[in-house]
Amino acid sequence: MKGTTFIGGLIVSATLGLTASAASAKTLNVVASFTVLADVVKEVGGDHVQVKSLVGPNGDVHEFEPSPDDAKTLKAADLAFVSGDGLESWFEKLAKSAGYKGKPVVASEGIKTRKMEEDGKTVTDPHVWNSAANVIVWVSNIEKGLIAADPEDAEDIKASAAKYTKELQDLDAYAHSKIGAAPKDKRKILTSHDAFGYFGKEYGLALLSPLGVSTEKEASAADVAKLIDQIKKEKVKAYFIENSNDPRLVKQVADATGAEPGGELYVESLSDADGPAPTYAKMFRYNVDQVAAAISK
Ligand SMILES: [Zn+2]
């Protein structure tokens, strides 16, 4: 008797299993290049994704050196996401060494990028996510990528993308109102590297930094001297360090100009779960509050 019940139980659960998979049982094994993007993919994919970030919390996405474990992680992924615009200069090499055959979804596709001159070359600023308006474009690309890989769960994915887009619109409005409330001539700050350009452009803030759009390069003594002059001339009062790179240079520049510390910004890496910026939404709001406090003094 006992045996029959057991078999009966198996049949029941097998039938339930079939029904569930027809509705929504797929979980994609997803890799994202860095924590900020990984969080947004999680928001859009919900229960249908298991996301792993290659660069960890507080890590530097520019200077990342993938390990053999990262290669294994990528090889095993159903789908990979990068932001693009030259941010993940290490990705192609990693994909090759991993034997990863897929094509990563480029989340920043369609975003109007900032171009700038650096050492006589035109470079694209990859830090698009520091404008919440740009992350709405990320969401749309992530939504398309996930649905292509998991069409059965399209409705769920669409619903979470729409819900998160609304949250991003609120964050965008929050930044406009907080930064916009500071006197115009005070809306300028000094940061370690040029990661806040899209933030500045969208919310009306001038940014200065001793490094360019990547932390990989070093600033020359002449560049630093020029920057110090500019900071004094433009009366920049606040400087920020960044959680994901060395603060010594920006501190040195600030000391030479009398700029006051504004705190720490999370420009391209989330904090640990117990830090102030464990999700993109929290990171963005935290940065807005830090900057608004410093420029309102
Ligand atoms: Zn950067």
Side-chain angles (χ1 to χ4, degrees), residues 243-271:
N243 71 315
S244 48
N245 55 54
D246 191 335
R248 280 177 294 184
L249 180 60
V250 71
K251 276 185 177 153
Q252 180 200 326
V253 170
D255 284 349
T257 63
E260 296 281 327
E264 186 173 48
L265 294 178
Y266 289 77
V267 300
E268 56 196 11
S269 194
L270 300 182
S271 67

Short mmCIF file of all heavy atoms in Angstrom, two decimals, residues 243-271:
data_model
loop_
_atom_site.label_atom_id
_atom_site.label_comp_id
_atom_site.label_asym_id
_atom_site.label_seq_id
_atom_site.Cartn_x
_atom_site.Cartn_y
_atom_site.Cartn_z
N ASN A 243 34.30 54.95 -3.90
CA ASN A 243 34.46 53.68 -3.17
C ASN A 243 35.32 52.67 -3.91
O ASN A 243 35.83 51.75 -3.30
CB ASN A 243 33.09 53.06 -2.87
CG ASN A 243 32.41 52.53 -4.11
OD1 ASN A 243 32.38 53.20 -5.14
ND2 ASN A 243 31.85 51.34 -4.05
N SER A 244 35.47 52.83 -5.23
CA SER A 244 36.09 51.77 -6.02
C SER A 244 37.51 52.07 -6.49
O SER A 244 38.04 51.35 -7.32
CB SER A 244 35.19 51.44 -7.21
OG SER A 244 34.81 52.62 -7.87
N ASN A 245 38.11 53.18 -6.01
CA ASN A 245 39.49 53.42 -6.42
C ASN A 245 40.26 54.25 -5.39
O ASN A 245 39.69 54.74 -4.42
CB ASN A 245 39.54 54.07 -7.81
CG ASN A 245 38.72 55.34 -7.87
OD1 ASN A 245 38.91 56.24 -7.06
ND2 ASN A 245 37.79 55.41 -8.80
N ASP A 246 41.54 54.41 -5.64
CA ASP A 246 42.47 55.06 -4.73
C ASP A 246 42.18 56.56 -4.56
O ASP A 246 42.15 57.29 -5.55
CB ASP A 246 43.88 54.86 -5.32
CG ASP A 246 44.97 55.24 -4.34
OD1 ASP A 246 44.70 56.06 -3.44
OD2 ASP A 246 46.08 54.72 -4.49
N PRO A 247 41.98 57.04 -3.33
CA PRO A 247 41.60 58.45 -3.14
C PRO A 247 42.79 59.41 -3.04
O PRO A 247 42.60 60.61 -2.91
CB PRO A 247 40.86 58.41 -1.80
CG PRO A 247 41.50 57.30 -1.05
CD PRO A 247 41.95 56.28 -2.07
N ARG A 248 44.03 58.91 -3.12
CA ARG A 248 45.17 59.79 -2.80
C ARG A 248 45.29 61.00 -3.72
O ARG A 248 45.52 62.11 -3.26
CB ARG A 248 46.47 58.98 -2.81
CG ARG A 248 46.65 58.21 -1.52
CD ARG A 248 47.89 57.37 -1.56
NE ARG A 248 47.75 56.32 -2.57
CZ ARG A 248 48.66 55.38 -2.77
NH1 ARG A 248 49.76 55.36 -2.06
NH2 ARG A 248 48.47 54.45 -3.69
N LEU A 249 45.11 60.78 -5.03
CA LEU A 249 45.31 61.89 -5.96
C LEU A 249 44.27 62.99 -5.76
O LEU A 249 44.60 64.18 -5.69
CB LEU A 249 45.29 61.38 -7.41
CG LEU A 249 45.49 62.45 -8.48
CD1 LEU A 249 46.82 63.16 -8.32
CD2 LEU A 249 45.41 61.82 -9.88
N VAL A 250 43.00 62.61 -5.64
CA VAL A 250 41.96 63.64 -5.49
C VAL A 250 42.15 64.38 -4.16
O VAL A 250 41.93 65.59 -4.07
CB VAL A 250 40.53 63.05 -5.64
CG1 VAL A 250 40.12 62.18 -4.47
CG2 VAL A 250 39.50 64.17 -5.83
N LYS A 251 42.63 63.70 -3.13
CA LYS A 251 42.89 64.36 -1.85
C LYS A 251 44.02 65.36 -1.98
O LYS A 251 43.96 66.46 -1.43
CB LYS A 251 43.23 63.32 -0.78
CG LYS A 251 41.99 62.70 -0.16
CD LYS A 251 42.37 61.78 0.98
CE LYS A 251 41.14 61.20 1.65
NZ LYS A 251 41.43 59.89 2.27
N GLN A 252 45.04 64.95 -2.72
CA GLN A 252 46.20 65.82 -2.93
C GLN A 252 45.78 67.10 -3.67
O GLN A 252 46.16 68.21 -3.28
CB GLN A 252 47.24 65.03 -3.74
CG GLN A 252 48.52 65.77 -4.06
CD GLN A 252 49.23 65.11 -5.25
OE1 GLN A 252 49.18 63.89 -5.42
NE2 GLN A 252 49.88 65.91 -6.07
N VAL A 253 44.96 66.93 -4.70
CA VAL A 253 44.48 68.08 -5.46
C VAL A 253 43.62 68.97 -4.56
O VAL A 253 43.77 70.19 -4.53
CB VAL A 253 43.66 67.63 -6.69
CG1 VAL A 253 42.95 68.79 -7.34
CG2 VAL A 253 44.56 66.91 -7.69
N ALA A 254 42.74 68.33 -3.79
CA ALA A 254 41.85 69.09 -2.92
C ALA A 254 42.64 69.88 -1.88
O ALA A 254 42.36 71.05 -1.62
CB ALA A 254 40.87 68.14 -2.23
N ASP A 255 43.66 69.24 -1.30
CA ASP A 255 44.48 69.91 -0.28
C ASP A 255 45.13 71.17 -0.83
O ASP A 255 45.30 72.16 -0.13
CB ASP A 255 45.57 68.96 0.24
CG ASP A 255 44.99 67.93 1.20
OD1 ASP A 255 43.82 68.11 1.60
OD2 ASP A 255 45.70 66.96 1.52
N ALA A 256 45.52 71.12 -2.10
CA ALA A 256 46.20 72.27 -2.71
C ALA A 256 45.23 73.40 -3.03
O ALA A 256 45.65 74.50 -3.38
CB ALA A 256 46.91 71.81 -3.98
N THR A 257 43.94 73.13 -2.93
CA THR A 257 42.97 74.15 -3.32
C THR A 257 42.07 74.59 -2.18
O THR A 257 41.32 75.56 -2.31
CB THR A 257 42.03 73.61 -4.42
OG1 THR A 257 41.29 72.51 -3.88
CG2 THR A 257 42.79 73.18 -5.65
N GLY A 258 42.08 73.85 -1.08
CA GLY A 258 41.20 74.18 0.03
C GLY A 258 39.79 73.63 -0.12
O GLY A 258 38.91 73.95 0.68
N ALA A 259 39.56 72.77 -1.14
CA ALA A 259 38.23 72.16 -1.28
C ALA A 259 37.98 71.22 -0.10
O ALA A 259 38.89 70.55 0.38
CB ALA A 259 38.13 71.40 -2.60
N GLU A 260 36.75 71.19 0.38
CA GLU A 260 36.39 70.40 1.56
C GLU A 260 35.88 69.01 1.16
O GLU A 260 35.24 68.88 0.12
CB GLU A 260 35.25 71.10 2.31
CG GLU A 260 35.63 72.46 2.89
CD GLU A 260 36.40 72.32 4.18
OE1 GLU A 260 36.13 71.36 4.93
OE2 GLU A 260 37.30 73.14 4.42
N PRO A 261 36.14 68.00 2.00
CA PRO A 261 35.62 66.68 1.66
C PRO A 261 34.09 66.63 1.72
O PRO A 261 33.48 67.08 2.68
CB PRO A 261 36.22 65.76 2.72
CG PRO A 261 36.63 66.65 3.84
CD PRO A 261 36.92 68.00 3.25
N GLY A 262 33.47 66.09 0.65
CA GLY A 262 32.01 65.97 0.63
C GLY A 262 31.57 64.58 1.03
O GLY A 262 30.40 64.33 1.29
N GLY A 263 32.52 63.65 1.08
CA GLY A 263 32.19 62.27 1.42
C GLY A 263 32.62 61.32 0.32
O GLY A 263 33.54 61.63 -0.44
N GLU A 264 31.92 60.21 0.24
CA GLU A 264 32.30 59.18 -0.71
C GLU A 264 31.14 58.95 -1.68
O GLU A 264 29.99 58.86 -1.27
CB GLU A 264 32.58 57.88 0.06
CG GLU A 264 33.13 56.77 -0.79
CD GLU A 264 33.57 55.56 0.05
OE1 GLU A 264 32.79 55.13 0.92
OE2 GLU A 264 34.67 55.07 -0.18
N LEU A 265 31.48 58.87 -2.97
CA LEU A 265 30.44 58.58 -3.96
C LEU A 265 30.60 57.16 -4.47
O LEU A 265 31.72 56.63 -4.55
CB LEU A 265 30.53 59.55 -5.14
CG LEU A 265 30.24 61.02 -4.85
CD1 LEU A 265 30.44 61.84 -6.12
CD2 LEU A 265 28.82 61.21 -4.32
N TYR A 266 29.48 56.54 -4.82
CA TYR A 266 29.49 55.20 -5.41
C TYR A 266 29.24 55.38 -6.89
O TYR A 266 28.10 55.39 -7.33
CB TYR A 266 28.42 54.33 -4.73
CG TYR A 266 28.83 53.98 -3.32
CD1 TYR A 266 28.72 54.92 -2.30
CD2 TYR A 266 29.39 52.75 -3.02
CE1 TYR A 266 29.14 54.62 -1.00
CE2 TYR A 266 29.81 52.45 -1.73
CZ TYR A 266 29.69 53.37 -0.74
OH TYR A 266 30.12 53.09 0.52
N VAL A 267 30.31 55.56 -7.64
CA VAL A 267 30.14 55.94 -9.05
C VAL A 267 30.02 54.77 -10.01
O VAL A 267 29.39 54.89 -11.05
CB VAL A 267 31.26 56.88 -9.53
CG1 VAL A 267 31.28 58.16 -8.72
CG2 VAL A 267 32.62 56.21 -9.49
N GLU A 268 30.63 53.63 -9.66
CA GLU A 268 30.57 52.52 -10.62
C GLU A 268 30.67 51.17 -9.93
O GLU A 268 31.05 50.18 -10.56
CB GLU A 268 31.67 52.66 -11.68
CG GLU A 268 33.08 52.75 -11.12
CD GLU A 268 34.09 53.27 -12.15
OE1 GLU A 268 33.68 53.73 -13.22
OE2 GLU A 268 35.28 53.20 -11.85
N SER A 269 30.32 51.14 -8.66
CA SER A 269 30.34 49.86 -7.95
C SER A 269 29.44 49.98 -6.73
O SER A 269 29.50 50.96 -6.00
CB SER A 269 31.77 49.56 -7.51
OG SER A 269 31.89 48.22 -7.12
N LEU A 270 28.61 48.97 -6.54
CA LEU A 270 27.75 48.97 -5.37
C LEU A 270 28.58 48.66 -4.13
O LEU A 270 29.69 48.15 -4.22
CB LEU A 270 26.65 47.91 -5.51
CG LEU A 270 25.71 48.06 -6.70
CD1 LEU A 270 24.65 46.95 -6.66
CD2 LEU A 270 25.03 49.42 -6.71
N SER A 271 28.02 48.95 -2.97
CA SER A 271 28.66 48.58 -1.71
C SER A 271 28.27 47.14 -1.38
O SER A 271 27.45 46.53 -2.06
CB SER A 271 28.19 49.51 -0.60
OG SER A 271 26.81 49.30 -0.33
#
